[in-house]
Amino acid sequence: MDLPPHHFATANARAAQRFAHETRAVAARYDRRTARLVITLDNGLELGLRPQDAQGLENARPADLAVLEISPSGQGIHVPALDADLYVPGLLQGLFGSRAWMSRRAVERQAAAALGAAGGRARSEAKRRAAQENGRLGGRPRKVLTETPGTPMAMRAAALLEAIQGFDEEFIRSAEELRQTPQSQAQSQQGAEAKPQPPLNPAAPSR
């Protein structure tokens, strides 16, 4: 069936309008250093993608990604070694494969997360039991800080201890001297001579 020429013109106009409003890939390569597929877009931005996150590239090796082909429309990336294709507009929307594949990956990730949470709870339960056992035994033994004599920290500790002991001796000596001053002795004598006054007799009750 032959189509009229104006149909081709209409299709070409629609394609040109579509390309003018959609982002296209202009270059694609695999970066071994970052282990990413790097797709350069026509607006100057670069899209980095882990191969294992894309359908058909889950088990790709670096050698498989050495050659990447861009479709004429710029909206597809073809990997000849694996016969796999990536759709650029879908990648920009976070779609790395078919709906069925994306759903399966989501289930796998949820299962992995649940397994990891279960493992964490098991470890937490073991820690809780160990803490209870330590509590029954009196808790963990205290850590004693020991320093080798002659090290800077040991020398500082010894100097601090000596200073504290010297302060205590000076305080005791000052207290003894204060106790022996004439003013203190006079106050002590006055305190000894002062006697408490007897209480007044209550008035005799009237008859």
Side-chain angles (χ1 to χ4, degrees):
M1 178 180 178
D2 296 333
L3 295 176
H6 69 275
H7 284 191
F8 291 100
T10 302
N12 290 332
R14 288 178 180 176
Q17 184 179 6
R18 179 179 177 183
F19 290 158
H21 293 84
E22 290 188 355
T23 304
R24 293 173 294 167
V26 295
R29 60 186 174 84
Y30 177 69
D31 189 344
R32 290 177 176 265
R33 184 178 60 84
T34 60
R36 295 287 196 277
L37 286 175
V38 181
I39 302 173
T40 304
L41 306 178
D42 59 352
N43 56 10
L45 297 179
E46 288 188 342
L47 175 64
L49 172 68
R50 298 192 310 170
Q52 59 266 32
D53 291 337
Q55 182 178 5
L57 306 182
E58 300 94 329
N59 300 318
R61 299 170 300 177
D64 298 330
L65 305 174
V67 178
L68 301 176
E69 298 176 352
I70 302 175
S71 65
S73 65
Q75 296 184 350
I77 306 295
H78 181 63
V79 185
L82 302 174
D83 194 20
D85 295 281
L86 302 176
Y87 184 52
V88 174
L91 297 178
L92 294 175
Q93 297 177 9
L95 302 176
F96 304 130
S98 64
R99 292 183 178 180
W101 184 85
M102 294 287 292
S103 300
R104 186 170 63 254
R105 286 296 299 271
V107 172
E108 292 175 354
R109 290 177 179 176
Q110 291 177 358
L115 183 61
R121 286 196 297 269
R123 289 192 293 271
S124 299
E125 180 64 21
K127 290 180 179 179
R128 186 183 65 82
R129 290 196 298 267
Q132 291 178 348
E133 185 65 22
N134 287 334
R136 285 193 292 267
L137 297 177
R140 294 182 177 180
R142 292 186 177 182
K143 294 182 178 180
V144 179
L145 180 61
T146 59
E147 286 291 337
T148 304
T151 60
M153 183 174 291
M155 295 174 65
R156 287 196 298 269
L160 179 61
L161 180 60
E162 184 178 354
I164 294 174
Q165 292 175 349
F167 175 78
D168 291 342
E169 294 175 357
E170 183 66 24
F171 178 79
I172 295 173
R173 186 163 52 252
S174 299
E176 291 293 340
E177 293 176 355
L178 181 62
R179 198 177 292 121
Q180 295 175 3
T181 57
Q183 183 179 0
S184 299
Q185 293 176 358
Q187 291 177 355
S188 300
Q189 291 177 0
Q190 292 177 2
E193 292 175 357
K195 296 181 180 180
Q197 298 294 330
L200 298 177
N201 293 330
S206 60
R207 294 183 179 179

